[in-house]
Amino acid sequence: MKDAAPRTIRLADYAPPAWLVADVALTFRLDPQATRVLSTIRFRPNPDSTDRTFFLHGEGLKTISATIDGRPATLREAEGGITCDVPDAPFTWEAEVEIAPAENTALEGLYMSNGIYCTQCEAEGFRRITWYPDRPDVMAPFRVRVEGDLPVLLSNGNPEASGPGWAEWDDPWRKPAYLFALVAGDLVAVRDRFTTLSGREVDLGIWVRPGDQGRCAFAMEALKASMRWDEEVYGREYDLGVFNIVAVDDFNAGAMENKGLNVFNSALVLASPETATDGTYERIEAVIAHEYFHNWTGNRITCRDWFQLCLKEGLTVFRDQQFTSAMRSEAVKRIEDAQTIRRHQFKEDQGPLAHPVRPESFVEINNFYTITVYEKGAEVIGMLRRLVGAAAYKRALDLYFDRHDGDAATIEDWLQVFEDATGRDLSQFKRWYSQAGTPRLSVEEAWEDGTYTLIFTQETPPTPGQPDKAPQVLPIAVGLLNPNGDEVVPTKVLEMTEARQSFAFEGLSARPIPSILRDFSAPVVLQREVPSAERAFLLAHDTDPFNRWDAAQALARAALMDAAGGAGDPAPDWIEGLGRALADTGLDPAFRALLLDLPGDEDIAIALAERGDVPDPDAIHSGRARIRRILAERLSPQLEAAYHEGATPGPYDPSAGPAGQRALRNRALWILTAADGGARARAQVAADENMTNVLAGLSALLSIGAGEAEAAAFHDRWKDERLVLDSWFALVAGQAPPESAVETARSLADHPAFAWKTPNRFRALMRGLAGNHAGFHRADGAGYDFLADWIVRLDPVNPSVAARTSTVFSSWKRYDAGRQERMRAALHRMLDRDDVSRDLGEMAQRMLE
Ligand code: 0A1
Ligand code: ZN
């Protein structure tokens, strides 16, 4: 490795900053190769620190000049920055540096995307712009002047003044440097207005490349809805006169909440019925909301240090989930979120990359923007809310905003407001932030004299660095049903705190059927052997939508696991139950669509490994194909009816109702295609109603080894639409037959449009192949080599995307010796290089440990 031992940063080593910043003035003279950044920063000693060492972060900066109180400063290099001698009193630092945004392929700091200047400063990008104490607990108001011969010059805050070739911005709200943003270039705005509850007028702008204006309407509506919702539900108003969103094509993540100037991956802003799917619309709505909600949870109250990332991310994800539930279906959203946690977060917890919601050390913070910090972080807040109740949650949040507005806060601060608002002791609950891993919850039952007892045992398996785990607080929502299907005990939240604990329900006339972990009330694995007849009973009768869906999932999982082991017929209970639920037109189509959403190949691989089996990717794949055919044959009338019920004639409407209908139609189509030779899918592609139906048709066709002509025609039609072309790359690689998937991926990589330095395009192909479970895990290791080669190639260009992509190798211990050996070799190939980045080096190292 380049750096024999890159430094590990530890939460335990936190020390407050020696110097605070009173205010910042920046001037940018933009130039692709030689942008000049002039900074004037007024420093003052931090009364809460005895240290007076002056240190500024900086990376790749060419210093033109630096002065302290007007006198030239003598800079000394220090790890990751510089130090110099300073007075023991407030002083003014002035510097001029030069940077080259056009050469910045890492897309952190100031870079260029299609001729547009833009910034990404979270987590540690600002240090690539100028010398600065680049840590979130140093907050300051910023004034920014942007100079450049460009039509649009944007920064944070309110516009102050502008003229030809310059603009000045003032952000009165103190903020850490990671929330700084600048965007400049040939952009056009779609504009709107919003009046806040207290009557403040806000100018809204969504800035896009000329030609994309027609695809912003949905994002704008989502923004206004988010602003209103945050006022109504959290009492939070917007606090500037303008709110701008910019869409850029080259972006490492989804979007960024810079104060007053959110920067988005264009894939999460632009949408039209011809080019975007229902899924894209739903994601745009959620991410627009997420970034907007950060204005209070992230910006007004930020994080003291990066270990507290979940303070802003867990809470903001929780808030965007609540928003989506309010805009769409609460039940469907809860199932989708539970599915995400179980598919992806549990997987992270089971492997070498497992870490607590609040990690205690890192080498590169970019590697900790994870599903654990975000989604499990949100689950922890959901549990807290369930335990204290909605009213106390509201009181605690009001107190949080009151007490910490303007602060860089910690998880301790967050829990303290809940303790103060409710009088509860949350010390045991806090383990959710410090213990990694997914608790296993097992259940025994007892029935005697009208008393039904549930005895729970919890155990969390060891994770890296944490061999022993203590019991956690688990809110377990339980309801009881009578054998006739009536609910005898409505949902009750049991609060489990011990390793083993029992809960009794008295006065029952018959032994009940329990519905446990309703609404996915805790992110745990429920380990309970349930006969398939009981699952089918819950699928038919449970009043809790999550558990109803989960009963169907469990049956499907069992069928697919058996099929992977070569078993013939799935349980008739499942097929019959599914058929009945499908035909129940009283149920929300979106919910029925989820019942048809079979676990994927990798889900089955994980389930088999959990059981102690070694998964065989080919057997899983062919077992799944067989189950799909069986369903297509045995449920053909119900599937056919669902397919027709899901027709949405008339103009395309992305809202939840019609999107749910299309989801039902397209799930039914996917299964039916296994038995009709692709006739329906082909007709649906030809009908060309909207992108959702076209892509679903195409995907169904490719999944049975057909559709080559349709895929080629699709490519020709959409080759100039970058976002649609991304979907094409992902689909063709993702749905290729396993035996030829690597060859398909290789030819896609040779495609002239494979702009591999653009993260969206790179991810489309790599994630496409990695998601093709049997294709990626081809026994000869060709899939591993393909991914590893590309990750190694990308690493010097864009370490953060390279490192993130490498996580597809985290599952290596799950497979047979041959595959393990090949995956390990691939990881070594990424790691054992002189120029390996800190990002990829840390990830590969952790995966190999
Ligand atoms: N705070 C953003 C996530 C984000 C993090 C890092 C980025 O660049 C490397 C970009 C965005 C969010 O939660 O939306
Ligand atoms: Zn966020």
Side-chain angles (χ1 to χ4, degrees), residues 767-797:
R767 298 247 157 221
L769 177 62
N772 188 329
H773 185 253
F776 174 55
H777 290 282
R778 207 168 88 178
D780 66 1
Y784 308 145
D785 290 342
F786 177 84
L787 260 289
D789 287 345
W790 275 105
I791 291 167
V792 166
R793 183 154 177 198
L794 186 67
D795 189 36
V797 171

Side-chain angles (χ1 to χ4, degrees), residues 388-454:
V388 304
Y393 174 80
K394 178 141 193 5
R395 282 202 311 278
L397 266 285
D398 287 344
L399 183 57
Y400 180 62
F401 292 121
D402 269 2
R403 186 182 285 175
H404 292 293
D405 187 10
D407 284 355
T410 61
I411 288 302
E412 282 72 19
D413 295 329
W414 163 253
L415 290 174
Q416 190 65 51
V417 297
F418 278 83
E419 293 198 334
D420 293 351
T422 65
R424 262 177 184 258
D425 174 359
L426 291 173
S427 44
Q428 187 186 0
F429 186 83
K430 195 177 174 192
R431 288 183 190 147
W432 278 107
Y433 287 98
S434 58
Q435 264 185 192
T438 309
R440 304 295 193 260
L441 183 64
S442 45
V443 192
E444 294 154 52
E445 298 166 67
W447 166 248
E448 209 184 332
D449 297 338
T451 296
Y452 176 73
T453 308
L454 285 169

Side-chain angles (χ1 to χ4, degrees), residues 122 255 257 290-291 294 312-313 316-317 374:
E122 187 175 5
E257 70 263 23
H290 179 97
E291 305 311 329
H294 266 315
K312 74 178 178 81
E313 296 305 346
T316 306
V317 170
Y374 274 64

